[in-house]
Amino acid sequence: MKYQFPEGFLWGSATAALQIEGGAAADGRGPSVWDVFCREHPEKIFERATPDVTCDHYHRYEEDVRWIRELGHNAYRLSISWPRLFPEGSGALNQAGVDFYRRLFDLLRSNGVTPHVTLYHWDLPDALARRGGWENPETIAAFEAFAAACFEHFGDQVELWSTLNEPGWTTLNGYVTALHPPGKTDLKAAVQVATNFLIAHARVARSFHKAGRRGKIGLALNLSPVYPATDTAEDRQAASLADAIFNRWFFEPLLLGRFPEEALALYNRCGFLPEISADDRALLAAPSADFVGVNYYYPHHVSAEASGNDFHLNTSGRQDENCRFSIGGLFRFVRNPRGQYTDWAWEIHPDGLYELLIRLRDLRPDLPVYVTENGIGRVEELAGGTVDDQERIDFVRLHLEAIHRAIQAGCPVRGYFMWALMDNFSWINGFKKRYGFLFIDRQTLARYPKKSAAWFREAARRNGF
Ligand code: NOJ
């Protein structure tokens, strides 16, 4: 075996409540901001898909745990639906929601699968969204109460907690590109919301630690290395600024207890500096994560030539539909002419993951890291009861090799979660963009293991490949 992983390495895949559960109105669940967004703006979602049923995991979780075991996982990353526990976002707890997750966690554990649980994977209860969502400090307080309820009810079953999933990506699309709810383009609000997420994380982590809870708490960040498109001083500067805004704004407070100067200077010039109370400022000045989760898909290439705002995500899965991201006067993301791209125009670049891991190691050599997401979306069809997704096997293998190299170089990576366990509701991409180890037949919702599932089971079994 060429790549032997450390003993106890976690091999799993990931999902999120809204993307797989369905049961949107079952047993007292309230609406989330995504349920409402899909209803009110069907034209923004590929083929007008909705999360109403998606994989119906809420009713089929027993079968899904059997698959998880069949796939050789010793861990599984999932999220808890906030509106299933608190239909109104705060106030009365919905016991049926608690019971569902207790049953699920029990089943996972009795099958030898460690649950890695995210508290917030974008399904903000609509009631809170209507009162200003993450712009309103009330939402931070409601999140603290939701988190406390989760620790109380599941603390004996769960030891690995992430407060938030991809605060950067959800802020970017909610408040800059307007592609996700609440569909705004308001850069000042974006900076405030990004900061409110960090405050929410830090407060929850503090109460977790103060209460002496069992286990570890961290969060999952979307990180992308940022390369200058050319070697000019302008592009290098633009790349460094983009790095400060998209990466360092999130990991520096968590790991080092400070915000990046470059971003602060920009926000100061633009009048975007976020409001932070003295208490929260003190809280943010101390590192607050027991581990960091890295969601890695692709790198950015940055050009300083950006005349206006322009945002577009490929939602068709056609190679010729380019993603566009430009903030006038600051920078623009460009395509790498030498890059290899997925059907959705995301560059495949495993070395980028290695570089990110080494960067984290250099900042905090002892801080455990999980690769909480990594995967490839494809257009796929079932043939003979399976999918020949050799491309996914290659993608996963190359990224695992990069992780292995980072571990050899001293980065304490403790686990890998492939996105995703099964094909799911891929936000504005609907159901066409398939990410799973399991193919979901959209007519019958039957699950079929793809070729990659067998490859991964073997790698997990041997703790390497
Ligand atoms: C990251 C997100 O966390 C997940 O929800 C999403 O589906 C994947 N990226 C793939 O786009």
Side-chain angles (χ1 to χ4, degrees):
M1 187 159 38
K2 202 158 166 206
Y3 301 100
Q4 175 76 60
F5 281 72
E7 209 186 309
F9 192 79
L10 297 186
W11 296 84
S13 57
T15 59
L18 187 103
Q19 295 181 272
I20 64 161
E21 282 183 5
D27 302 333
R29 177 185 179 276
S32 78
V33 70
W34 271 95
D35 300 280
V36 175
F37 188 71
C38 293
R39 201 161 51 233
E40 291 180 355
H41 300 284
E43 74 289 352
K44 293 198 179 186
I45 315 288
F46 187 72
E47 289 176 340
R48 301 179 161 246
T50 77
D52 291 355
V53 177
T54 179
C55 308
D56 199 27
H57 170 76
Y58 185 70
H59 298 109
R60 299 174 193 230
Y61 70 95
E62 289 172 320
E63 178 189 349
D64 290 337
V65 175
R66 282 199 294 278
W67 280 115
I68 289 170
R69 201 181 59 177
E70 174 71 28
L71 266 54
H73 290 23
N74 59 6
Y76 169 58
R77 176 173 179 251
L78 72 153
S79 78
I80 294 178
S81 162
W82 185 349
R84 205 177 281 295
L85 255 54
F86 291 97
E88 292 294 319
S90 56
L93 178 74
N94 177 28
Q95 188 58 41
V98 173
D99 296 344
F100 168 69
Y101 291 107
R102 282 208 67 86
R103 288 196 302 273
L104 176 58
F105 296 143
D106 259 347
L107 204 55
L108 287 167
R109 287 159 53 91
S110 62
N111 279 284
V113 178
T114 299
H116 199 297
V117 176
T118 303
L119 293 171
Y120 181 71
H121 200 126
W122 310 353
D123 46 1
L124 182 68
D126 186 54
L128 296 175
R130 284 177 195 283
R131 296 201 293 275
W134 287 102
E135 285 171 80
N136 183 349
E138 233 188 70
T139 296
I140 305 179
F143 181 66
E144 291 180 78
F146 162 58
C150 290
F151 300 150
E152 194 55 41
H153 292 281
F154 314 123
D156 59 330
Q157 299 175 301
V158 177
E159 290 183 22
L160 281 171
W161 296 97
S162 288
T163 50
L164 306 167
N165 176 68
E166 298 197 352
W169 182 251
T170 186
T171 305
L172 182 73
N173 287 308
Y175 293 88
V176 180
T177 69
L179 294 168
H180 287 191
K184 292 188 178 179
T185 297
D186 178 343
L187 302 188
K188 186 172 167 53
V191 176
Q192 186 67 55
V193 165
T195 312
N196 286 353
F197 275 130
L198 293 166
I199 294 170
H201 161 81
R203 288 201 204 159
V204 168
R206 176 182 53 191
S207 50
F208 182 89
H209 290 135
K210 261 197 172 162
R213 301 261 177 212
R214 212 162 52 104
K216 303 281 179 211
I217 192 158
L219 82 182
L221 297 178
N222 54 294
L223 299 179
S224 289
V226 185
Y227 307 117
T230 70
D231 206 27
T232 59
E234 290 79 14
D235 283 358
R236 276 191 275 120
Q237 209 182 341
S240 166
L241 184 62
D243 183 54
I245 293 175
F246 297 120
N247 293 321
R248 291 162 53 206
W249 186 262
F250 297 94
F251 72 63
E252 287 199 358
L254 289 165
L255 271 53
L256 307 174
R258 63 162 198 232
F259 284 105
E261 284 301 330
E262 227 172 321
L264 283 175
L266 171 74
Y267 298 159
N268 189 28
R269 268 201 316 279
C270 303
F272 292 169
L273 278 179
E275 282 172 30
I276 309 177
S277 72
D279 276 0
D280 289 332
R281 205 169 278 283
L283 188 60
L284 290 173
S288 57
D290 300 332
F291 67 83
V292 59
V294 176
N295 290 6
Y296 175 69
Y297 289 86
Y298 57 84
H300 297 308
H301 298 268
V302 167
S303 159
E305 275 173 38
S307 49
N309 289 356
D310 183 21
F311 310 115
H312 180 76
L313 256 182
N314 175 326
T315 56
S316 67
R318 282 195 336 262
Q319 283 270 0
D320 61 339
E321 187 187 349
N322 267 328
C323 300
R324 298 191 305 273
F325 183 90
S326 170
I327 303 188
L330 286 188
F331 48 74
R332 176 168 64 98
F333 293 162
V334 296
R335 212 173 148 99
N336 174 7
R338 289 171 303 282
Q340 186 198 341
Y341 282 80
T342 70
D343 293 336
W344 272 265
W346 287 9
E347 188 182 353
I348 302 175
H349 185 57
D351 281 349
L353 178 56
Y354 173 79
E355 290 163 20
L356 287 169
L357 295 173
I358 294 303
R359 234 176 134 184
L360 296 173
R361 177 208 65 182
D362 288 347
L363 293 177
R364 290 281 305 276
D366 298 327
L367 193 70
V369 177
Y370 293 90
V371 174
T372 31
E373 278 185 39
N374 171 243
I376 178 169
R378 294 181 6 107
V379 182
E380 294 177 323
E381 273 170 32
L382 205 57
T386 187
V387 175
D388 182 350
D389 58 345
Q390 185 60 42
E391 191 187 11
R392 178 169 291 108
I393 297 176
D394 296 341
F395 183 100
V396 170
R397 189 175 38 78
L398 289 171
H399 285 83
L400 279 164
E401 283 178 24
I403 293 169
H404 190 269
R405 249 188 304 139
I407 295 174
Q408 300 298 105
C411 179
V413 186
R414 298 281 158 80
Y416 175 84
F417 295 88
M418 205 288 281
W419 183 268
L421 171 64
M422 58 184 111
D423 299 339
N424 56 66
F425 173 75
S426 207
W427 314 107
I428 60 171
N429 287 293
F431 293 107
K432 187 171 175 193
K433 195 175 189 184
R434 292 179 178 268
Y435 272 102
F437 278 138
L438 300 175
F439 180 93
I440 303 282
D441 179 323
R442 291 300 324 148
Q443 302 306 316
T444 62
L445 300 185
R447 280 87 164 123
Y448 297 91
K450 301 178 192 174
K451 194 170 145 190
S452 56
W455 183 87
F456 193 79
R457 178 183 49 216
E458 199 45 22
R461 191 185 63 77
R462 300 171 69 202
N463 199 27
F465 52 93

